[in-house]
Amino acid sequence: MRQDKPGVLLVNLGTPDAPTTPAVKRYLKQFLSDPRVVDTPRWLWWPILNGIVLPFRSPRVSKLYASVWMEGGSPLMVYSQRQRDALAARLDIPVALGMSYGNPSMKSAVDSLMAQGVTRLIVLPLYPQFSCSTVAAVWDGLTAVFKDYRSLPDVDFIRDYADHPAYIAALKASVERSFAQHGQPDLLVMSYHGIPQRFADEGDDYPQRCADTTAALTKALGLRDDQVKLTFQSRFGREPWLTPYTDETMQGLPGTGVKHVQVMSPGFSADCLETLEEISEQNCEFFMHAGGEKFEYIPALNDDAAHIDMMVQLINARR
């Protein structure tokens, strides 16, 4: 009889190995070469990527990474490793961490689990809201890893957890801590990573999943709809992305009488460049320069105990 031995694969986006131009260039090249991320025809995109984007973007982005780099590496790497370690301490089955881009690779994580005799793989992409550009890229990466395997495990793939009660409860507790420390703001802004509007038009239900999270959290907090605003950040390129844009929202809010905002990014399971630099620094500056008076960033759930509890619930439901 075939043995049943489950194991857990945690997957996040990835990060450069160092806050240097060469390391950032290697990372961005792998990331921006994925058709799930940029689906421009290769013959058109390749010269743009290698001749314009990488040479000009890599030095600038490396300086931004340097501004948030931690002793143990990039914030996303540090917090992802802490999540893996905390989860492993709570479970009696193997847990490995892999990244869609950069190191540790998804292949190294899967190989490690398979070497431990895992026959049933529980895959948890650390993206609360499904998108073709993130969760589907994990699916692609997983199938690529197994392409050369002679035997395959059973795979239980967790698509997303946008409105899972334990996830909403963890976010609620995080917001309430911030309100208790800084006072309740005029507006709570929930900023999610954007995707091209075209992706949604072609069937990606990411905008709906972001709306699901926002609605569930608004209800859990007992807030009115006009006390919460959903926005989208981190757009790239020239085509229209999901709106409203976070940066434009921050610049416009003070003119509507909103003087105190708190901003969270529920789509990020770990703090990273897009939260610590783009939101906490850039968008704070936009808001304050436009006449705002108080701005606080509510950290990602990272390795908070309630976040780990949620992961344990998700995994135990699949065992």
Side-chain angles (χ1 to χ4, degrees), residues 19-88:
T20 63
T21 296
V24 169
K25 186 175 183 179
R26 285 195 304 273
Y27 170 73
L28 288 180
K29 183 169 185 177
Q30 184 184 8
F31 174 48
L32 296 175
S33 295
D34 189 342
R36 287 289 192 182
V37 178
V38 180
D39 63 350
T40 303
R42 299 295 94 177
W43 64 266
L44 177 60
W45 175 237
W46 213 245
I48 296 173
L49 175 64
N50 290 282
I52 301 174
V53 175
L54 293 177
F56 289 96
R57 192 174 178 87
S58 300
R60 180 175 65 82
V61 172
S62 66
K63 293 177 182 177
L64 298 179
Y65 269 107
S67 72
V68 300
W69 209 256
M70 301 171 70
E71 184 176 345
S74 77
L76 184 140
M77 179 62 69
V78 170
Y79 291 124
S80 295
Q81 289 173 334
R82 290 179 184 174
Q83 291 168 345
R84 176 203 61 201
D85 294 346
L87 190 59

Side-chain angles (χ1 to χ4, degrees):
M1 181 178 293
R2 186 169 181 261
Q3 178 191 16
D4 178 40
K5 182 176 181 179
V8 178
L9 173 64
L10 297 178
V11 186
N12 211 324
L13 189 76
T15 176
D17 293 324
T20 63
T21 296
V24 169
K25 186 175 183 179
R26 285 195 304 273
Y27 170 73
L28 288 180
K29 183 169 185 177
Q30 184 184 8
F31 174 48
L32 296 175
S33 295
D34 189 342
R36 287 289 192 182
V37 178
V38 180
D39 63 350
T40 303
R42 299 295 94 177
W43 64 266
L44 177 60
W45 175 237
W46 213 245
I48 296 173
L49 175 64
N50 290 282
I52 301 174
V53 175
L54 293 177
F56 289 96
R57 192 174 178 87
S58 300
R60 180 175 65 82
V61 172
S62 66
K63 293 177 182 177
L64 298 179
Y65 269 107
S67 72
V68 300
W69 209 256
M70 301 171 70
E71 184 176 345
S74 77
L76 184 140
M77 179 62 69
V78 170
Y79 291 124
S80 295
Q81 289 173 334
R82 290 179 184 174
Q83 291 168 345
R84 176 203 61 201
D85 294 346
L87 190 59
R90 294 280 304 276
L91 300 171
D92 58 352
I93 57 177
V95 180
L97 171 68
M99 299 293 183
S100 290
Y101 317 101
N103 297 305
S105 68
M106 204 182 309
K107 176 174 171 50
S108 69
V110 170
D111 287 347
S112 169
L113 291 168
M114 297 299 287
Q116 296 176 69
V118 166
T119 62
R120 185 156 53 85
L121 193 61
I122 302 170
V123 184
L124 176 54
L126 292 169
Y127 307 107
Q129 300 81 23
F130 173 88
S131 172
C132 65
S133 60
T134 52
V135 177
V138 174
W139 181 278
D140 293 345
L142 192 64
T143 58
V145 168
F146 282 126
K147 184 178 64 173
D148 297 325
Y149 269 69
R150 294 298 184 192
S151 180
L152 301 180
D154 292 322
V155 176
D156 197 330
F157 192 92
I158 299 175
R159 183 183 190 268
D160 77 357
Y161 48 94
D163 50 4
H164 190 283
Y167 167 61
I168 299 302
L171 291 176
K172 176 177 181 283
S174 177
V175 172
E176 289 177 338
R177 284 194 297 269
S178 184
F179 283 10
Q181 180 178 358
H182 303 290
Q184 184 167 327
D186 300 328
L187 188 69
L188 173 64
V189 176
M190 300 187 195
S191 177
Y192 298 82
H193 199 292
I195 61 171
Q197 177 62 49
R198 176 171 51 85
F199 287 9
D201 296 341
E202 293 170 351
D204 192 333
D205 65 340
Y206 176 72
Q208 182 58 54
R209 297 306 277 156
C210 294
D212 291 343
T213 298
T214 301
L217 182 54
T218 299
K219 181 179 180 180
L221 289 167
L223 296 176
R224 302 186 310 271
D225 289 345
D226 63 354
Q227 293 176 297
V228 177
K229 189 170 183 64
L230 182 159
T231 64
F232 296 97
Q233 64 183 84
S234 310
R235 64 189 183 277
F236 175 78
R238 296 184 178 181
E239 71 174 305
W241 280 42
L242 299 179
T243 58
Y245 298 137
T246 301
D247 54 359
E248 293 181 359
T249 298
M250 287 298 127
Q251 294 170 35
L253 283 176
T256 67
V258 175
K259 300 299 183 181
H260 179 196
V261 297
Q262 291 184 25
V263 184
M264 66 188 308
S265 296
F268 294 87
S269 61
D271 275 315
C272 54
L273 189 67
E274 286 81 3
T275 63
L276 298 175
E277 197 282 328
E278 183 181 353
I279 295 297
S280 186
E281 295 183 21
Q282 285 186 30
N283 279 275
C284 174
E285 186 175 335
F286 292 150
F287 179 72
M288 300 301 282
H289 281 187
E293 296 174 0
K294 288 185 68 179
F295 178 107
E296 289 96 24
Y297 167 64
I298 301 174
L301 293 175
N302 295 320
D303 58 337
D304 184 85
H307 197 200
I308 304 303
D309 287 343
M310 180 215 71
M311 294 184 196
V312 170
Q313 288 188 39
L314 286 173
I315 291 161
N316 282 341
R318 307 297 180 113
R319 294 180 64 176

